[in-house]
Amino acid sequence: MSTHRGTSRLTRVRAIVAGAVAIAALGAATIVITNSGGVGQASQVTDAHGGVAPEAPAPVGNSGPLTDVDRTFMVKVRQAGLWEIPAGRFAQTHASSEAVKRAGMHLLDGHSLLDQLVREDSAVTGVQLPDQATPEQQDWDRQLANAQGQEFDKLFVSLLRSSHGKIFATIAEVRASTQNDLVRRLARQANQTVMDHMEVLEDTGLVTTQTLEEVGTAVAPRPAK
């Protein structure tokens, strides 16, 4: 009698254990199917709210060769920041027009970002960047430092609209032809920044026909030899 009862208890225990193992296996299988998204589907990551989280943007690589045009472009971006950031600061203290001060703030913001990007790119590519603006650019800053009021406003808009118009053509050339990922990114940002700066400079109402004609002459394509 006791032997029969012991056998019955053992049978029940074995049945309970087997059931638990089966449930655990089914749960594991469910997790695998849920995480895999089914056969032939890529796995998805959910966010804190249960929705599908967007994939992180792919990091910008450094694939593709650097040309002489690419290197020159990086140098010019650096030099532009070295004189236009001080010019933007001068606008806050020397200008009489609020529109000119606003344009100066756009210069400060835009070229600070570009300067950061080009220095990061230099660290990756090994392109050597200057620590000073060109002598001509330094002279422009000296002229702005010595001007005040309406004289400053006119000089600021003339110098900055001319320089932005000329570099705009170079940006287009680089963006259209570069094979380097970092330079392509820099050119894209430079294009947006320079376009913004030209527009805020034009909003001052001080851009002259003479300035635009000078830019047109400087960027006109040269006849083929």
Side-chain angles (χ1 to χ4, degrees), residues 75-86:
V75 169
K76 286 186 175 181
V77 170
R78 171 66 171 163
Q79 288 174 329
L82 288 171
W83 87 273
E84 291 185 35
I85 290 175

Side-chain angles (χ1 to χ4, degrees), residues 117-151:
L117 286 177
V118 76
R119 285 186 287 110
E120 290 174 357
D121 295 350
S122 170
V124 175
T125 61
V127 174
Q128 296 296 312
L129 299 178
D131 292 325
Q132 291 185 331
T134 68
E136 181 180 35
Q137 291 168 338
Q138 293 178 46
D139 182 60
W140 292 339
D141 271 335
R142 282 192 291 269
Q143 293 180 47
L144 291 171
N146 294 326
Q148 290 285 343
Q150 293 183 357
E151 177 189 358

Side-chain angles (χ1 to χ4, degrees), residues 44-47 51-55:
Q44 293 179 330
V45 179
T46 58
D47 60 20
V52 177
E55 294 183 3

